[in-house]
Amino acid sequence: MSKKIISFLFILIVLGNFQAQGKAEKALEVFSEKYPQEKIHLVFNKNSFIAGENIWFKSFVFDGYDLSNISTTLFVELYDSNKTQISKKILPLVNGQGSGNFTLPENLKEGVYYVRAYTTWMANFNEDFQTLRPIVVYNPSSPQKLVINDNSKWTASIFPESGTFIDGIDTKFAVRLQSKGITPTDWSGYVVDAEKPDVKITSFKGFDQNVGSFSLTPKAGKKYKLIVEDSKSNKQTIDLPTVSDSGVNLQVSTGNEAVKFYLKSKNIAPGTLYKVIGTISNQLVFKVNSEKILEQSYSIPAAQLINGILQLTVFDDKENIVAQRLCFIQPELLKIKKPTLQSLALNESPRTLNTFNISQNSDNEAYTAFVMDGNSESSEDENSLLSTLWLTGDITSKIYTPAQYFTQNHNSEALDALLITEKWKRFDWKTIMSGTFPIISYKPQPYISYKGKVTVQGKPAANTDMNLLFEKPDQGTKLYQIKTDANGFFSLKGLYFEDAIKFSYQLNDAKIPKEQVQVIFQPDYSFIPLKNNLPASNYDLVQRANEDKPTNQVERYIVTKNNQSSVNEKATLIEEVNLKGQKKDKTQELNEKLSGPLFQSANETVFDLVNDNNSAQGSINILQWLQGRVAGLTLESDMGNYIPKLRGSEMNIYLDEIKIDPSMVSSISTADIAMVKVIKDNFAGGFGGGKGTIAIYTKRGGITGSVSNSTVPTKLKQITLNGFDKETPFVSPVYGDDNFNNISKDFRSTLYWNPRLKTQPKEPTKIQFYNNDDAKSYKVIIMGFDEKDYAPIYYNETIK
């Protein structure tokens, strides 16, 4: 398991009748440890688009209820409603987060499109858990237009709590609505005895567009029917399950203090042994095993758990499942780190500058933040970061507006009823207890990876050293040496770069003419075809009449799109002018100068000993100076030398990108060191080593491993390697600058978008944006994740 998400394991043992692990517990342990589950939340810069616009998005990848460290690469694809792929992107994940954009073609037809996001690890499991988000795209010149499908037929289904309906036991039922279009917002139902259809036994009103509930105490031999009706007089009649004369019914109630459950039964043989297992995100958190389990109440302290779905399963002595129930832990006490907005300077006048600060009250390196016109719709309105984390990431059925269950005034009773209608979809008890587990066909991608083969006159160059040379303009040429295996193959794993880079190559054997050498590179990753059908949308396409005019929203989109090219051009000019008057970040400049492309990683920490960190000059050994400055780094003494370890694993050490023994570090004077870089994950220069690396760079500029003659690469064969897709910058007008005076109308719906707003310790984080022409309020959305407390950071409010 990659990370623990439960504060501690809570096991309840009753009356000493606890036995050794059964099949269920053993199977769960294997599944939890070897098959962690990733899920993805996507947030977009707005809720709908027009052909020719950019779609910006931010991704959060979770492992259970924590940010994932399994995958470092995200695959994102755009499909039309016919499942034709329009575009695809490969993006880096840094601490489980990534961002990118799609540029929609100008001639894209109006319709519903789908953004698919997944990691290679997720491809080993049910495809239903991959993210597939519908996107509405308008195009007034398209022959067809979108209309909401609010007349589609709906169906109702009925679910008794825990799946059992037993004579004489008061049972809670949940009623679930489903439709290819939109389900009714106003609906109700009642129950009758089939023999007395005119007499209502009980009635209820639906909570929302998904679910309603009622309770009923059945009598054996009776047949019951449920009649459901909407406000348009559409009606359905559903038979309730047959009343059983024996069995076990699991009844659950959730509160801020505890999850309580009670097992009621009828006509059960005396001495029958039952056990109840409680799991959260595939981890065991509760167990009771006793022959006296029935007719007793049990309580699981909620404070010892986290927000999330708890699955309670009742097994008999043969480990058959007799009852199951999902519930949500502390639905009225959601552990959300809500940022505080301070120093608000907001002005509703057209095109004025607005600012506010975000108070840092959590362990978080960066926020995802965006500001919209208060009248605009956000993708968070339908499915929010909270609803993906706590609900839809693990529940694959269609839920209308799942975000509603985690808003400030949410209905916890509705959420509980919804979970009665669901089963845990991440695993099936019978399947894993039989020893059947997912087949792992895809391993997590270590950023960008390439594989290759070297041949000499058509024959594999076995166990041969090959030099890769990379030239940086005005910064010299870096040389790296890789070795082929017995069949002439080699690999480059953990490359982290955007767009493309060019390498020159040659064998490290002057006797072999370069004309006889052939090197073939190919990506060691691939996009995985979508097998499932696309889900139905809430829209229909109908023929557009000649007199049809675009809606006000679409008109505003058209104006914004037409302005954007001018805004981009002028903002670029301003940026270039500003850059000429500013110094580039000195540490970034030093890192770019000294680091080669194989020694770059998204998960690196740079210590600049030229411009900062002068305290290192007083240290005898650079490793001693690093200790305490790098989380998880410890030093062990071995024959007078220091061995650096990262969370118990020995780290590799490189000097000017040449691997050295730890004993050599003591001979390096800190006065000669220009920069130290700590890399905590896979990177290409480590050639697959994932133990962590300390890269030391001297003030000589990394002469070791460099090529003095810069003309050498031009004389060698070259290869171009493609990296991650580069994100198009989100650009807004900067009013107050004369370059933007010619914008006649400003109807932007998204006023500010920053998928990685960096925070500073003990300092507030500042946001500034310019108003459009008519916004009177602002929808502010701020997201992140506090890994220390396993809590989402979330703010979604409209302010004035």
Side-chain angles (χ1 to χ4, degrees), residues 82 122 125 227 235 241 258 435 457 495 509 543 572 623 677:
N82 295 318
M122 293 174 68
F125 306 95
I227 293 86
K235 185 182 293 187
Q457 291 185 321
L495 288 165
D509 187 343
Q543 207 65 27
T572 301
L623 296 180
K677 183 153 59 172

Side-chain angles (χ1 to χ4, degrees), residues 517-568:
V517 179
Q518 183 179 21
V519 180
I520 299 174
F521 286 82
Q522 67 181 55
D524 197 13
Y525 62 89
S526 61
F527 288 80
I528 299 168
L530 175 63
K531 298 177 183 178
N532 287 354
N533 293 325
L534 295 171
S537 77
N538 299 334
Y539 291 83
D540 288 329
L541 277 172
V542 300
Q543 207 65 27
R544 191 188 301 272
N546 292 331
E547 62 274 13
D548 280 349
K549 294 183 178 180
T551 64
N552 182 57
Q553 180 189 44
V554 174
E555 288 279 13
R556 294 172 71 92
Y557 284 1
I558 293 171
V559 171
T560 301
K561 185 193 73 171
N562 291 339
N563 287 338
Q564 198 60 47
S565 59
S566 175
V567 171
N568 291 343

Side-chain angles (χ1 to χ4, degrees), residues 427-456:
F427 69 84
D428 175 74
W429 278 114
K430 292 182 179 179
T431 301
I432 65 172
M433 286 167 65
S434 69
T436 303
F437 295 99
I439 298 173
I440 302 302
S441 302
Y442 305 96
K443 293 185 178 180
Q445 272 295 329
Y447 297 113
I448 294 284
S449 297
Y450 279 85
K451 57 186 177 181
K453 184 175 184 179
V454 182
T455 59
V456 177

Side-chain angles (χ1 to χ4, degrees), residues 425-631:
K425 303 288 176 47
R426 287 294 186 175
F427 69 84
D428 175 74
W429 278 114
K430 292 182 179 179
T431 301
I432 65 172
M433 286 167 65
S434 69
T436 303
F437 295 99
I439 298 173
I440 302 302
S441 302
Y442 305 96
K443 293 185 178 180
Q445 272 295 329
Y447 297 113
I448 294 284
S449 297
Y450 279 85
K451 57 186 177 181
K453 184 175 184 179
V454 182
T455 59
V456 177
Q457 291 185 321
K459 296 181 180 179
N463 302 314
T464 300
D465 292 326
M466 183 175 71
N467 297 325
L468 288 178
L469 296 94
F470 170 79
E471 184 179 10
K472 287 187 175 182
D474 303 323
Q475 294 178 12
T477 303
K478 288 282 185 178
L479 180 148
Y480 306 98
Q481 192 172 89
I482 60 177
K483 194 177 187 67
T484 64
D485 64 15
N487 297 309
F489 291 103
F490 65 90
S491 63
L492 291 173
K493 294 184 180 295
L495 288 165
Y496 179 76
F497 65 96
E498 291 181 331
D499 288 342
I501 56 175
K502 289 184 178 181
F503 282 99
S504 301
Y505 59 87
Q506 67 175 8
L507 293 190
N508 195 19
D509 187 343
K511 297 178 182 178
I512 303 177
K514 66 177 183 179
E515 294 79 12
Q516 297 180 6
V517 179
Q518 183 179 21
V519 180
I520 299 174
F521 286 82
Q522 67 181 55
D524 197 13
Y525 62 89
S526 61
F527 288 80
I528 299 168
L530 175 63
K531 298 177 183 178
N532 287 354
N533 293 325
L534 295 171
S537 77
N538 299 334
Y539 291 83
D540 288 329
L541 277 172
V542 300
Q543 207 65 27
R544 191 188 301 272
N546 292 331
E547 62 274 13
D548 280 349
K549 294 183 178 180
T551 64
N552 182 57
Q553 180 189 44
V554 174
E555 288 279 13
R556 294 172 71 92
Y557 284 1
I558 293 171
V559 171
T560 301
K561 185 193 73 171
N562 291 339
N563 287 338
Q564 198 60 47
S565 59
S566 175
V567 171
N568 291 343
E569 180 182 346
K570 298 183 187 308
T572 301
L573 289 174
I574 292 174
E575 184 179 0
E576 289 175 353
V577 171
N578 289 339
L579 284 175
K580 290 178 182 178
Q582 296 176 357
K583 287 187 177 180
K584 195 173 184 178
D585 181 275
K586 292 182 178 180
T587 298
Q588 180 184 352
E589 189 177 55
L590 184 68
N591 187 17
E592 291 178 355
K593 179 179 180 180
L594 298 180
S595 299
L598 301 192
F599 275 74
Q600 295 177 9
S601 170
N603 195 8
E604 65 181 20
T605 303
V606 177
F607 297 95
D608 181 348
L609 275 63
V610 173
N611 305 295
D612 298 303
N613 298 316
N614 291 324
S615 60
Q617 302 295 330
S619 300
I620 299 175
N621 189 303
I622 192 63
L623 296 180
Q624 286 180 295
W625 182 83
L626 284 175
Q627 191 174 26
R629 290 176 169 84
V630 178

